[in-house]
């Protein structure tokens, strides 16, 4: 008679063909435990406000069998109650409520009792073991080896190619940042450029260049796609590498009641899905496409998509790399110039980015935004080129436009030895530190933007508007270690200078020397492939020293002779198909 839903978005993510919407009419009472009146909350009889994960206790088991305890890190901001406490309250009032549930005063007591009887046994007193568990976070020796899984190639013999279909197919996919849309109200994720299309604040139908030519459509022109008895209208985006005859669209958009950020952004692509016997079918769906006259300008953060023969992302084949690492890099014999070198008696900070490891996931972009209180500007100003990200991931297409390869390159402030931004600032707001970082004195900046004009990497951001008026409780997301910049100043990467200062202070208090490899910038810490390495060039044992001097490392735009403190390592292709395409000297157009 009663349906209890725990924070799910089934009424958004399941199509009408699933039968859920019709079956729900047979339920006498619907109780929704969530944090907002979204699609599910709007059909519920009661909404029970649940704690946020950071406000609640819990426990988890990893796939490997490791047990861990989830501890609250903040007091509840609102008058909410943990869902587990609600369950215990309802179980106490039930006639057949368990004895354990009746005796537990709260969810915290129930959790402790469970761990005491099932997991933590023997040895010292439970209270001491519980304190040790909370300090460590996980239960030692709880990890078990995962069982070996067999795989049989004979399973493929039953797969037969489908009959040739006429017309188009539609395929649904999820973006790295947006996922299924459960966190669509987070503006950081809305403004995070898609790894391939580089578009933000919208979803769209990806169409191949050939199909776009046949349909006579342009970027942003609206398409109506009908599949599974439902229609969705969205702008089109011509996407190199998209399969002919297939239109692809991201899910996670078109929310209703998710919040003022997510509501009304894009369309709900889940409506086009087909419900199978036990799963949601999201690809291979026959579709009918109608081209409309209306169009929408898409917010795309990168307007040029090929390298035009410039030495930006350097590639070499595996055989070439084994024979001569870095042989495809065109080295410039730079002559001394008028500026003298900076002396570094202490630290000399630097960074190396391994392009062979970077997957373009952009975890570093969001981590940097969170760490450094970087504001989001919205679709309108992204279109005007006023996005504020301190680090961006440039994406280039390589090879045949019909079936191109992708290469990614994180771009941030290079902290140049002979920084061209420093020489043009009339008030010395940007200056060189005695540790090699290019620092910004925000209170001194008057907003001339000369530095941005003189930066060849275009990594400086100017905050045209006041983003400091943040409504509570969103101000709690700000990092107190980093200043919040007011309107009219230039911003850029600082190599997370506040982290460097914090580690130095910690080492001083503990009476020890600083281990430079213990310092990680936000981007390096969040990179899942460890593509970013940060450290001190004056520390011979530092990892960055080893990578900085390797033959496959190179400086971006080395010919400018500004000596950037960020270097890149070549991307190695595990194939020889670059043979005959790539010239040894950039400028001869091997990526035209």
């Amino acid at each position: 008679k009663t349906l209890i839903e725990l924070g799910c978005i089934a009424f958004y993510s399941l199509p009408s063909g699933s039968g859920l919407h019709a079956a729900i009419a047979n339920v006498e009472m619907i109780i929704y435990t969530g944090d907002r009146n979204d699609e599910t909350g709007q059909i519920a009889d009661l909404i029970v406000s649940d704690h946020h994960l950071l406000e609640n206790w819990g426990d988890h088991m990893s796939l490997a069998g490791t047990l861990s305890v989830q501890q609250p890190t903040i007091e509840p901001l609102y008058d909410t109650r943990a869902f587990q406490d609600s369950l215990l309250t309802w179980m106490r009032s039930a006639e057949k409520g368990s004895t354990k549930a009746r005796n537990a005063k709260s969810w915290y007591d129930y959790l402790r009792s469970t761990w005491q009887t099932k997991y933590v046994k023997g040895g010292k007193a439970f209270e001491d073991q519980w304190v040790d568990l909370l300090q460590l976070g996980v239960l030692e020796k709880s990890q078990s080896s995962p069982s070996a899984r067999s795989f049989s190639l004979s399973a493929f013999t039953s797969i037969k190619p489908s009959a040739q279909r006429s017309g188009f197919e539609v395929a649904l996919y999820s973006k790295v940042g947006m996922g299924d849309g459960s966190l669509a109200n987070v503006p950081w994720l809305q403004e995070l450029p898609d790894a391939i299309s580089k578009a933000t604040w919208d979803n769209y139908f990806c169409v191949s260049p050939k199909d776009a030519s046949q349909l006579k459509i342009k970027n942003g022109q609206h398409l109506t796609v009908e599949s599974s008895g439902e229609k969705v209208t969205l702008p089109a985006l011509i996407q190199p590498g998209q399969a002919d005859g297939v239109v692809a669209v991201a899910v996670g958009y078109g929310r209703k009641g998710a919040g003022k950020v997510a509501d009304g952004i894009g369309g709900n692509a889940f409506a086009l899905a087909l419900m199978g016997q036990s799963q949601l079918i999201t690809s291979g769906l026959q579709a009918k496409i109608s081209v409309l006259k209306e169009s929408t300008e898409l917010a795309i953060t990168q307007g040029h998509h090929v390298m035009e023969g410039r030495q930006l992302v350097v590639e070499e084949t595996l055989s070439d790399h084994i024979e001569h690492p870095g042989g495809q890099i065109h080295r410039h014999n730079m002559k001394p110039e008028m500026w003298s070198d900076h002396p570094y008696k202490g630290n000399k900070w630097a960074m190396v980015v391994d392009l062979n490891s970077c997957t373009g996931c952009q975890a570093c972009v969001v981590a940097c935004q969170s760490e450094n209180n970087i504001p989001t500007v919205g679709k309108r100003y992204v279109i005007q080129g006023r996005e504020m990200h301190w680090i961006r991931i440039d994406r280039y297409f390589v090879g045949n436009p019909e079936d191109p390869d992708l290469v990614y390159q994180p771009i941030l402030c290079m902290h140049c030895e002979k920084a061209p931004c420093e020489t043009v600032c009339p008030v010395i707001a940007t200056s060189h530190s005695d540790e090699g970082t290019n620092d910004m004195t925000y209170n001194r900046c008057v907003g001339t933007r000369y530095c941005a004009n003189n930066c060849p990497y275009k990594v400086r951001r100017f905050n045209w508007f006041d983003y400091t008026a943040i409504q509570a409780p969103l101000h709690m997301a700000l990092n107190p270690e980093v200043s919040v910049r007011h309107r009219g100043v230039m911003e850029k990467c600082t190599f997370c200078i506040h982290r460097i200062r914090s580690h130095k202070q910690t080492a001083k208090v503990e009476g020890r020397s600083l281990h430079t490899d213990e310092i990680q910038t936000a981007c390096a810490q969040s990179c899942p492939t460890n593509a970013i390495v940060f450290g001190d060039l004056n520390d011979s044992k530092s990892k960055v020293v080893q990578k900085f001097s390797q033959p496959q490392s190179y400086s971006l735009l080395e010919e400018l002779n500004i000596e950037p403190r960020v270097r890149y390592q070549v991307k190695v292709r595990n194939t020889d198909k670059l043979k005959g395409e790539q010239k040894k000297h950039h400028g001869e157009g091997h990526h035209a």
Side-chain angles (χ1 to χ4, degrees):
K1 295 182 179 180
T2 301
L3 173 64
I4 304 173
E5 299 173 277
L6 175 58
C8 64
I9 55 173
F11 286 90
Y12 159 76
S13 59
L14 286 180
S16 58
S18 65
L20 177 64
H21 299 73
I24 207 71
N26 300 322
V27 180
E28 294 183 7
M29 176 175 287
I30 303 174
I31 300 176
Y32 177 51
T33 63
D35 60 357
R36 65 197 67 221
N37 190 18
D38 57 13
E39 297 88 350
T40 308
Q42 291 170 13
I43 66 166
D45 298 298
L46 293 174
I47 298 179
V48 181
S49 299
D50 190 11
H51 284 343
H52 188 274
L53 283 176
L54 297 180
E55 302 170 341
N56 198 12
W57 287 90
D59 53 4
H60 305 273
M61 177 185 291
S62 69
L63 290 176
T66 302
L67 299 172
S68 61
V69 174
Q70 169 191 319
Q71 304 176 56
T73 60
I74 188 175
E75 288 284 341
L77 297 177
Y78 302 104
D79 187 17
T80 57
R81 181 171 70 178
F83 169 70
Q84 296 90 338
D85 275 321
S86 297
L87 274 182
L88 288 171
T89 301
W90 298 333
M91 291 170 68
R92 293 189 196 103
S93 62
E95 294 181 0
K96 296 181 180 180
S98 68
T99 303
K100 186 177 180 181
R102 290 178 180 274
N103 294 335
K105 297 180 180 179
S106 66
W107 158 234
Y108 172 71
D109 294 330
Y110 188 92
L111 178 71
R112 274 176 50 102
S113 176
T114 302
W115 274 77
Q116 184 175 8
T117 55
K118 295 183 66 175
Y119 304 121
V120 181
K121 298 178 181 179
K124 52 186 176 181
F126 170 71
E127 188 63 34
D128 295 333
Q129 295 185 62
W130 179 252
V131 172
D132 293 341
L133 175 64
L134 297 185
Q135 289 179 346
L136 189 61
V138 296
L139 182 64
E140 291 185 287
K141 301 179 181 179
S142 63
Q143 185 170 349
S144 58
S145 300
S147 58
R149 299 182 181 182
S150 60
F151 182 81
S152 175
L153 292 175
S154 61
F156 288 108
T157 58
S158 61
I159 300 178
K160 298 179 180 179
S162 58
Q164 188 69 28
R165 292 184 178 181
S166 59
F168 285 88
E169 294 182 6
V170 63
L172 313 183
Y173 69 96
S174 61
K175 291 185 178 181
V176 172
M178 193 56 58
D180 65 351
S182 57
L183 296 176
N185 201 51
V186 179
W188 291 345
L189 303 182
Q190 291 282 0
E191 198 155 294
L192 181 68
D194 179 72
I196 299 176
S197 69
K198 308 306 293 183
T200 71
W201 288 103
D202 221 335
N203 62 340
Y204 35 80
F205 288 116
C206 296
V207 183
S208 72
K210 181 179 178 181
D211 290 337
S213 177
Q214 291 179 349
L215 295 172
K216 297 180 179 180
I217 59 176
K218 299 179 180 179
N219 270 338
Q221 191 167 357
H222 286 193
L223 302 179
T224 295
V225 174
E226 182 178 358
S227 181
S228 306
E230 298 288 342
K231 295 181 180 180
V232 174
T233 300
L234 289 171
L237 188 145
I238 302 173
Q239 180 64 64
Q242 178 70 29
D244 296 334
V246 177
V247 290
V249 58
V251 299
Y253 294 84
R255 297 295 308 273
K256 296 179 181 178
K260 63 180 181 180
V261 173
D263 289 354
I265 301 295
N268 184 6
F270 278 118
L272 301 176
L274 185 65
M275 194 66 193
Q277 293 183 348
S278 60
Q279 62 185 358
L280 202 62
I281 301 174
T282 58
S283 62
L285 304 169
Q286 284 190 297
K288 179 181 178 182
I289 297 180
S290 303
V291 181
L292 307 181
K293 295 182 179 180
E294 295 84 359
S295 63
T296 299
E297 186 175 6
L298 296 171
I300 301 177
T301 59
Q302 185 175 347
H304 200 75
H305 309 294
V306 292
M307 288 182 280
E308 302 290 0
R310 297 170 295 169
Q311 183 174 262
L312 302 179
V313 177
V314 180
E315 298 178 83
E316 57 190 21
T317 64
L318 179 59
S319 57
D320 285 341
H321 181 75
I322 294 174
E323 180 181 351
H324 183 196
Q328 299 298 330
I329 302 172
H330 177 52
R331 304 291 183 181
H332 295 265
N333 185 19
M334 306 305 299
K335 297 180 180 180
E337 39 98 280
M338 61 182 293
W339 303 110
S340 59
D341 293 332
H342 296 279
Y344 300 105
K345 298 179 180 179
N347 303 116
K348 186 179 179 181
W349 304 110
M351 180 179 288
V352 175
V353 181
D354 186 356
L355 299 179
N356 208 42
S357 299
C358 178
T359 63
C361 71
Q362 302 186 105
C364 56
V365 178
V366 177
C368 177
Q369 190 163 21
S370 170
E371 179 76 17
N372 294 292
N373 302 332
I374 301 174
T376 52
V377 300
K379 180 178 179 179
R380 173 184 174 184
Y381 295 111
V382 171
I383 292 175
Q384 295 182 16
R386 295 180 177 176
E387 68 273 11
M388 295 292 294
H389 294 136
W390 287 5
I391 180 173
R392 70 177 190 267
I393 308 295
D394 285 350
R395 179 268 301 124
Y396 298 104
F397 295 112
V398 178
N400 181 7
E402 299 299 326
D403 186 21
D405 288 322
L406 291 175
V407 290
Y408 297 102
Q409 186 172 44
I411 302 291
L412 65 159
C413 176
M414 300 291 164
H415 296 268
C416 308
E417 280 290 294
K418 301 175 177 62
C421 56
E422 297 172 2
T423 58
V424 296
C425 180
V427 293
I428 320 179
T430 178
S431 57
H432 215 74
S433 76
D434 59 357
E435 296 183 355
T437 57
N438 178 255
D439 294 343
M440 278 295 305
T441 306
Y442 299 122
N443 288 342
R444 190 179 290 168
C445 179
V446 294
T448 63
R449 306 192 302 283
Y450 294 161
C451 56
N453 290 335
N454 223 34
C455 175
Y457 306 104
K458 301 306 172 189
V459 290
R460 288 176 166 266
R461 305 299 189 190
F462 187 72
N463 54 354
W464 293 84
F465 301 101
D466 185 9
Y467 298 106
T468 60
I470 302 176
Q471 192 176 18
L474 296 180
H475 67 286
M476 300 185 71
L478 296 176
N479 183 358
E481 302 296 327
V482 179
S483 62
V484 179
R485 286 76 59 188
H486 289 271
R487 175 186 179 184
V489 301
M490 192 63 68
E491 304 182 11
K492 67 167 194 67
C493 164
T494 65
F495 268 172
C496 288
I497 193 68
H498 57 284
R499 290 192 173 197
I500 297 175
R501 298 289 182 264
S502 176
H503 279 275
K504 282 188 173 184
Q505 183 65 27
T506 300
K508 181 179 180 180
V509 171
E510 295 177 354
R512 60 175 176 82
S513 59
L514 178 69
H515 305 296
T516 57
D517 280 345
E518 72 183 68
I519 302 175
Q520 281 193 312
T521 57
C523 56
Q525 182 183 19
S526 62
C527 181
T529 61
N530 296 320
I532 302 175
V533 176
F534 177 77
D536 182 12
L537 289 180
N538 282 346
D539 182 357
S540 59
K541 298 180 180 179
S542 176
K543 295 179 181 178
V544 76
V545 171
Q546 304 169 15
K547 292 182 174 292
F548 210 79
S549 57
Q550 286 179 339
Q552 63 265 35
S553 296
Y554 68 98
S555 299
L556 187 61
L557 304 183
E558 181 189 36
E559 60 271 26
L560 298 180
N561 200 25
I562 54 180
E563 300 181 20
R565 197 63 70 77
V566 177
R567 286 189 179 180
Y568 296 90
Q569 293 194 312
V570 298
K571 183 174 182 64
V572 180
R573 293 283 188 184
N574 193 22
T575 175
D576 285 342
K577 72 177 183 178
L578 292 176
K579 293 281 189 182
E581 297 180 12
Q582 178 162 291
K583 305 294 184 181
K584 288 193 175 182
H585 299 291
H586 75 286
E588 297 184 20
H590 67 273
H591 289 311

